[in-house]
Amino acid sequence: MGRSRRTIPEELLLLALDPATGTTAQPQSLDLGLAGAQLVELALAGRIAPDGDRIAVVAPRPTGDPTLDSALELLRRRGAPVRAVHWIGGPRLGLRQTYLSHLERCGMVQAVPGQMCGVLPTTRYQATDTAISREIRARLDSAIRTGVPPDPRTAALAALAHAVGLGKHLYPGNEGRSSRSRLRDLIRHDPMGGLVAHAVMDVQSGAAAQPRRNPAQAGRPAAAARPTAEPARGVPMQPRRGSMARVVAH
């Protein structure tokens, strides 16, 4: 897998970066989204595939991306397909910082050191090439505005952006309500992106313990229906701790 193309985790993180403050929107749910975005990227690379509500490794050869290959190796070691919610809800300490550091090395963001309350060291990240962020945003805007089915990468990015709650960050206020609704609707255009996005929302809502119903059972009565409202800020199943608490780009 070449590095000429930005990966979906990288694009999701760039979407979440606030150009004015250097912080990321929806930091807690974004951590889940990055883990899910890795799954989508691996699926697009032909390394994994959905198996019901589970993820199966179909080609364990490396992609050439160290961060993705680390995730692929962890999946391979499971030895059997793993439920998407269990993978996404597992501990992902340092994943966001790993991608921020990578974007810094690529020259797409710049780390700006500072202090919180004049004491605690912090780091904010400013985009150095806003044209990249504008291009990513333009793809989403085009899919929302035209109604033309987007390519799988854009559809998956839209699904993840909705799942982690970036809709109100990208399309704020009452004037953005229809755009947020259409962003949510784009989830149907990519099966893998939809599976992962629903898993992210399940983890946030605490529904990870319940297996997702098979679409063939859609006509049967269910104990409870999924809320369709935009997801609230979620809390990862494992708390962040250690050096990550010092980073304000979250």
Side-chain angles (χ1 to χ4, degrees), residues 139-218:
R139 282 163 41 209
L140 292 185
D141 290 345
S142 177
I144 287 173
R145 183 180 64 256
T146 65
V148 176
D151 62 274
R153 301 186 69 84
T154 302
L157 181 63
L160 287 161
H162 165 71
V164 302
L166 289 184
K168 290 184 178 180
H169 168 69
L170 299 171
Y171 306 103
N174 287 333
E175 64 275 14
R177 186 186 300 273
S178 61
S179 292
R180 294 196 299 271
S181 177
R182 288 193 288 270
L183 179 70
R184 179 193 63 219
D185 292 342
L186 291 176
I187 200 170
R188 71 182 186 275
H189 289 294
D190 180 64
M192 185 65 178
L195 168 65
V196 169
H198 281 300
V200 169
M201 291 185 283
D202 280 346
V203 173
Q204 293 182 80
S205 67
Q210 299 298 323
R212 175 165 290 279
R213 297 170 66 213
N214 189 298
Q217 299 174 320

Side-chain angles (χ1 to χ4, degrees), residues 20 27 49 53 80 93 101 106 108 128 156 164 167 182 184 191-192 205-206 210 219 221-222 227 237 239 244:
D53 66 346
L93 296 178
S101 298
C106 292
M108 286 187 274
T128 57
V164 302
R182 288 193 288 270
R184 179 193 63 219
M192 185 65 178
S205 67
Q210 299 298 323
M237 296 180 68
M244 283 298 292

